[in-house]
Amino acid sequence: MQKAESKSEPQKEVKPAPISVVPDAKEEQITTKGKWIITKKDGKFSFELRANNGEVMLTSSAPYSSLTNAKAGIETYKKNIEHGNFTVVRTKGNDFIFQLFNARGSLLANGSAYSTEANCKSAVESTKRWAAISPVEIDNETL
């Protein structure tokens, strides 16, 4: 009986596959931001909260007499957003909007119109997220 010769092949170096790193949601919230934008028109200041894609989440309802007052207004909005002072309502046109109120129940702002209540509620949640992490920018073109 003959023994089968076993030929040993040289071992090939095995390189590990690259690891795909997916950022978690918390990290993305920190690096992806919307912005509060302050503008001036006819001597009065106003502001908007925009998502990172440029969508206007809400607009200040009353004009402010100074830049300082507009910045203070943003802080007031942030507080009331954080406290969840929102109501979702159906408009006469059958769209849904959210309204932001202050602690005394006065209307601060209306959100954009949405075709469904679910989309409007989702916009409320997005507004809460963006308001908390977005920096304030001044539109120098309007000053």
Side-chain angles (χ1 to χ4, degrees):
M1 240 183 183
Q2 292 181 345
K3 289 186 177 179
E5 284 185 33
S6 67
K7 293 183 180 177
S8 65
E9 293 183 25
Q11 291 185 350
K12 294 180 182 177
E13 184 180 335
V14 177
K15 294 182 180 176
I19 298 171
S20 173
V21 177
V22 178
D24 70 15
K26 288 181 184 176
E27 182 178 328
E28 187 172 333
Q29 284 182 352
I30 293 169
T31 59
T32 306
K33 296 180 181 174
K35 52 181 113 171
W36 291 94
I37 299 180
I38 299 174
T39 57
K40 184 178 181 183
K41 183 178 179 184
D42 299 328
K44 300 289 183 181
F45 294 85
S46 61
F47 54 82
E48 296 177 334
L49 173 61
R50 295 185 190 168
N52 69 330
N53 65 2
E55 177 186 352
V56 176
M57 305 302 295
L58 61 83
T59 303
S60 59
S61 59
Y64 295 87
S65 59
S66 71
L67 182 58
T68 300
N69 290 346
K71 288 179 179 180
I74 290 172
E75 293 307 313
T76 298
Y77 275 54
K78 284 181 175 183
K79 254 191 269 184
N80 288 287
I81 290 168
E82 182 182 341
H83 290 129
N85 294 340
F86 291 98
T87 300
V88 173
V89 296
R90 180 173 267 178
T91 66
K92 290 179 182 178
N94 266 347
D95 289 324
F96 292 88
I97 62 168
F98 65 82
Q99 297 177 316
L100 175 65
F101 294 89
N102 67 17
R104 294 182 310 252
S106 297
L107 180 65
L108 291 175
N110 289 316
S112 299
Y114 297 89
S115 58
T116 68
E117 186 175 12
N119 286 348
C120 189
K121 287 180 177 180
S122 176
V124 168
E125 294 307 312
S126 294
T127 299
K128 289 177 184 178
R129 184 174 58 252
W130 293 120
I133 64 171
S134 297
V136 176
E137 294 185 8
I138 299 166
D139 181 358
N140 290 320
E141 292 181 19
T142 64
L143 297 182

